[in-house]
Amino acid sequence: MWSQPHICPYMKTYFDQYLPISVLIPVYYGDRADWFDQAMRSLTQQTQRASELIVVQDGPISSELNDRIRFWLKLHHNGKLVTLPENQGIPAALNAGIQAATQPWIARMDADDISDLQRFEIQWDFLVKNPDVVIVGSWIDEYDESMTTFLSSRRPPVSHSEIYKFAHWRCPFNHQTVIYRRDAVLSVGGYPLTKVMGEDYVLWTRLLHAGYRTANIPRPLVKVRAGRALIHRRRGWHYLRLEYKSMSMIYRMGFFTWWQYLLQLCIRTAVRLSPTPVVRRIYSRLRK
């Protein structure tokens, strides 16, 4: 048995005004129920509220996590559960959530991160003032898995021109921070159907290559669990093979030149096959 999470007194009147946004959260068997609770608290206490909450269950999950999901979906005035019987991976889960969404804008959230309580307000205000922008992200602060020790920040470029240049070398958005226009994402085919590592990178380059305008908010709006386990997962032959696929997709669409593509493969091979302490130092330097 589990006790229901503490709900702030104003929660019953929380959903009285709504933004035209569907919040999209994929979950799978590796997600922790208590971390999901923290993520949902940061959603339900937003200063401006999303119209729809979509949780995509990617394959079987624990009974505890299942109970928490259903609790939060009931609390939301317009909560929706999309269930994939077998684990298909993040790209398939996100595509399923996009198809199920009814709002023109989609906000990404991860099941274990914590959003700033003004996140939606800040991003929506920016989108209203910049109607040509179809995707807006933000900076992030990275913490250890307990969310008690600050580790680093990831601060991608802010303007569209800087983002476009940056995307030829590294991923220009923090995936868990973005709000994007649903029809724009569907127009470029959504996330790649082939299982890759860096499905969000492929999507961003598809949007950039198609000429859509983009931006980042120069402020950390999400706290992310990073820690040692994340660094360890980002190395090895399996990760490298999947990353090769994503780099090849970006090259074939014409976003990379042949020498950019070759350099990408060389750099990523060196990083993914290095010992974990070396990878950790590389990530630390990149954050700076």
Side-chain angles (χ1 to χ4, degrees):
M1 295 294 293
W2 60 279
S3 57
Q4 292 186 351
H6 172 69
I7 305 300
C8 292
Y10 65 82
M11 282 287 290
K12 291 183 180 179
T13 59
Y14 168 77
F15 299 107
D16 53 352
Q17 296 178 359
Y18 316 109
L19 298 175
I21 294 173
S22 298
V23 181
L24 176 53
I25 306 178
V27 297
Y28 80 118
Y29 70 92
D31 287 321
R32 284 178 44 170
D34 55 339
W35 290 356
F36 181 76
D37 276 343
Q38 293 176 30
M40 291 305 302
R41 287 192 191 98
S42 74
L43 166 64
T44 55
Q45 296 178 29
Q46 289 289 309
T47 54
Q48 288 197 10
R49 303 130 177 126
S51 293
E52 184 174 52
L53 169 63
I54 299 175
V55 177
V56 182
Q57 179 183 323
D58 187 16
I61 58 174
S62 69
S63 59
E64 183 181 18
L65 180 57
N66 180 68
D67 288 344
R68 305 293 178 94
I69 290 171
R70 295 182 184 281
F71 168 79
W72 289 107
L73 287 174
K74 284 183 179 179
L75 184 65
H76 199 288
H77 80 292
N78 190 18
K80 183 183 298 183
L81 178 64
V82 177
T83 303
L84 304 180
E86 297 181 359
N87 181 267
Q88 299 181 31
I90 290 180
L94 293 177
N95 283 334
I98 291 171
Q99 290 295 333
T102 63
Q103 298 302 306
W105 294 88
I106 292 178
R108 276 284 290 111
M109 281 188 66
D110 281 344
D112 58 355
D113 297 330
I114 299 175
S115 291
D116 185 287
L117 300 188
Q118 289 184 295
R119 176 192 164 187
F120 292 169
E121 178 181 352
I122 292 169
Q123 289 182 294
W124 184 250
D125 181 66
F126 179 89
L127 290 170
V128 169
K129 294 176 180 176
N130 298 272
D132 59 331
V133 170
V134 303
I135 173 173
V136 59
S138 78
W139 295 349
I140 59 173
D141 283 340
E142 296 179 323
Y143 287 77
D144 64 355
E145 293 184 347
S146 66
M147 281 290 189
T148 57
T149 303
F150 172 79
L151 300 176
S152 62
S153 295
R154 184 171 191 266
R155 302 182 174 189
V158 174
S159 71
H160 175 74
S161 60
E162 292 173 329
I163 288 170
Y164 187 86
K165 293 176 183 176
F166 189 84
H168 285 84
W169 304 107
R170 292 170 57 195
C171 185
F173 293 100
N174 294 309
H175 196 185
Q176 60 276 86
T177 72
V178 297
I179 295 180
Y180 47 65
R181 210 171 71 198
R182 180 176 182 269
D183 62 353
V185 170
L186 289 175
S187 74
V188 298
Y191 292 90
L193 298 178
T194 304
K195 188 174 182 181
V196 297
M197 197 64 67
E199 66 284 337
D200 56 325
Y201 195 179
V202 175
L203 176 58
W204 313 147
T205 54
R206 285 177 174 178
L207 290 166
L208 290 166
H209 194 56
Y212 287 111
R213 303 289 296 181
T214 63
N216 276 309
I217 303 292
R219 171 175 169 177
L221 296 180
V222 179
K223 294 180 179 179
V224 175
R225 296 180 199 274
R228 295 179 180 274
L230 179 62
I231 296 295
H232 181 73
R233 290 198 301 270
R234 290 181 173 177
R235 56 180 302 277
W237 282 106
H238 177 68
Y239 191 103
L240 183 60
R241 282 193 295 269
L242 294 177
E243 201 166 40
Y244 275 178
K245 289 184 179 181
S246 61
M247 295 302 101
S248 296
M249 285 184 180
I250 296 172
Y251 172 67
R252 287 195 298 270
M253 82 172 70
F255 191 77
F256 289 158
T257 63
W258 69 268
W259 66 270
Q260 287 173 332
Y261 173 59
L262 181 61
L263 192 55
Q264 285 273 12
L265 296 183
C266 292
I267 292 173
R268 291 171 187 276
T269 298
V271 172
R272 302 311 173 197
L273 299 183
S274 296
T276 300
V278 174
V279 177
R280 189 175 297 117
R281 285 197 293 270
I282 292 172
Y283 271 86
S284 177
R285 283 190 170 275
L286 287 176
R287 294 300 186 262
K288 296 178 181 178

